[in-house]
Amino acid sequence: MSAIVVDLGTRVVRRRGIDIQLPPRAFDLLVILVRNRPNAVAHTDLQAALWPNLHVSPTSLPGLVAQLRKALGDSPTDARLIRTLHRVGYAFTGDAVIADPAPPTATPACRLIWRGKPLELLAGESIIGRDHGCGVCIDADSVSRHHAKLIVSGRDTVIEDLGSKNGTWVSGERIHGAVPLTDGSSVRFGTETVRFEVLGVNRTTKTVN
C-alpha cells in the first residue's frame, strides 16, 4: 500500500499520486494522529486541540473521524488506517509521512548528484524515494517509494533509511539508524548511487588531458 504524504505547506494529502483535499479540521486531525502514531491520542486531547476553548457535542469528534476515514478510503469495520480504541481515543496505524513546508526565503543548503542531475535540498527534513510526492524523487525500480530521510541542520547533515527493501548505503556500507554525511560522500539507494555535496564549498576543477 502506498504511503500517505501529508504536505503541511499546501495542506494537501497525497495518496498514490492523487491529491486529497480535506476540510481544515479534518486535516488537523490527521496531522495529530500521524505525528503520534502508533500511539493512541485520547478523546480529551483531540477535542482540546481541535476545538480549543469550545464546548462541542459528544458526536463532533466521531463525526470528524468518520469524515476523515471516508476521504482516505478507510472504514471502522476494516480499519487499516485509523483504529478506534473504545473509551480511550484513536490511533493512526497506516503508512504515512509528513512533508514540512520550506521557509519562503530558504535557499538550497546541499544537493545530491544523481545521473549527472543536481537534486537540491533545503535545510530541514527531506524524504527521498521513488514516490513523486517525496521532497527528492529518484524514479528508479530499486528505490522504495519512501526510501530514506535526510535532515539538514546548520552545517550538519544526517541520513536515515526508512526500512527500504534494498537498503541505503554510505561509503559502501549499509546503514542502520542515522548516519552523518560530509561533502563528497557517496550514497547508494538500492542500485542508484548519488554524490552528496554541500553548497558553497570551493572545489578544485581538474582538467583531464
Side-chain angles (χ1 to χ4, degrees), residues 24-26 28-29 32 42-67 90:
R25 195 165 274 133
D28 293 339
L29 171 61
I32 294 170
H43 294 134
T44 52
D45 292 338
L46 288 172
Q47 289 172 350
L50 296 167
W51 294 279
N53 303 317
L54 291 176
H55 178 73
V56 296
S57 166
T59 62
S60 296
L61 181 57
L64 189 63
V65 171
Q67 185 181 40
Y90 299 94

Side-chain angles (χ1 to χ4, degrees), residues 68-85:
L68 180 57
R69 279 179 169 145
K70 182 178 180 180
L72 298 178
D74 200 26
S75 70
T77 54
D78 183 23
R80 294 167 297 166
L81 299 176
I82 301 173
R83 184 163 61 98
T84 300
L85 288 85

